[in-house]
Amino acid sequence: MSTSSTSRVAYDHNTGWARLHGFFSRADVDTTLSTCRQLLRLPPSQRCAGDKPTAGTHHLFELDRRSEFIDAALDRPELTQVLTEILGKSYRRDQVSYRSPQPTFGSQFLHTDAPSTLEAGPATVATAIIALVDFTEHNGATRLIPGSHRRPDLQRLAGQLGHHDDELTLTGEAGTAFVFSGHVLHSGTRNESTAERPALQLVWRTTASTQR
């Protein structure tokens, strides 16, 4: 299955995800890509732990510390509104990274960014993927299982599922942000195109005072 929309969609507590169409403008996308490409060219002595500029999937970490633009962009109200819907009012950034599967790379098992739960309850983790190129059915776009944040039975299979009949591929134009509960099963898919598929990958976690 796939979905595409040209309008902003509020967070849906039943499905566990939201789409922010046009969260980044074309200029924002270009600025982010330029910054990341510069960082990928840094010598080993100037890299952050976990940076992988030559792997099958390129990775960069700590981008909010390394880019004033990215740091500021993550405080935009349309994003913070969705994060508040998911996590409540008190949370912190846990990961601000770049992930770019090269052709034939990117396939993952369905997994969660939060520990599996024994029963459905408040989210403690939220994740966002900001597309830096158009996400299509064929270039390694993120997929997720809507509603799996309310399915502890599915969450306990995290890292073991290669496919699920209810999975949804998140397609959309460059600049689209996909925001979802970190308890939703999701993964990258294999990049079957001839070009890389870059995106920002972001994670937030609740602080101790937000357990609802």
Side-chain angles (χ1 to χ4, degrees), residues 103-121:
T104 75
F105 288 89
S107 179
Q108 299 172 307
F109 281 94
L110 288 155
H111 61 276
T112 62
D113 290 333
S116 300
T117 56
L118 296 177
E119 58 185 23

Side-chain angles (χ1 to χ4, degrees), residues 31-199:
T31 296
T32 303
L33 284 172
S34 177
T35 296
C36 291
R37 286 165 179 161
Q38 290 177 30
L39 293 173
L40 288 168
R41 292 194 293 268
L42 289 176
S45 62
Q46 297 180 34
R47 295 175 191 162
C48 284
D51 284 359
K52 296 178 181 178
T54 59
T57 296
H58 296 170
H59 290 274
L60 292 167
F61 289 90
E62 299 185 33
L63 291 178
D64 50 346
R65 180 181 65 80
R66 303 161 88 179
S67 166
E68 291 183 2
F69 169 77
I70 293 173
D71 181 44
L74 300 186
D75 289 329
R76 292 179 181 176
E78 57 266 50
L79 177 58
T80 58
Q81 180 180 350
V82 177
L83 294 174
T84 300
E85 282 285 319
I86 299 173
L87 299 175
K89 295 183 179 180
S90 184
Y91 52 84
R92 60 177 175 81
R93 294 180 197 167
D94 187 65
Q95 179 181 314
V96 180
S97 62
Y98 168 90
R99 186 174 184 272
S100 183
Q102 305 301 294
T104 75
F105 288 89
S107 179
Q108 299 172 307
F109 281 94
L110 288 155
H111 61 276
T112 62
D113 290 333
S116 300
T117 56
L118 296 177
E119 58 185 23
T124 59
V125 177
T127 300
I129 307 293
I130 302 176
L132 299 177
V133 293
D134 293 351
F135 271 28
T136 75
E137 292 275 4
H138 306 292
N139 70 348
T142 302
R143 59 177 173 163
L144 55 76
I145 303 177
S148 54
H149 62 310
R150 296 186 169 184
R151 293 280 307 276
D153 58 320
L154 284 179
Q155 292 175 42
R156 287 193 288 272
L157 296 176
Q160 303 175 49
L161 288 175
H163 170 75
H164 191 277
D165 288 345
D166 294 333
E167 69 184 48
L168 187 74
T169 303
L170 303 178
T171 59
E173 295 178 351
T176 304
F178 305 98
V179 192
F180 47 93
S181 166
H183 302 270
V184 167
L185 283 159
H186 65 281
S187 80
T189 59
R190 180 182 169 92
N191 183 357
E192 301 285 1
S193 75
T194 59
E196 65 178 340
R197 198 277 293 150

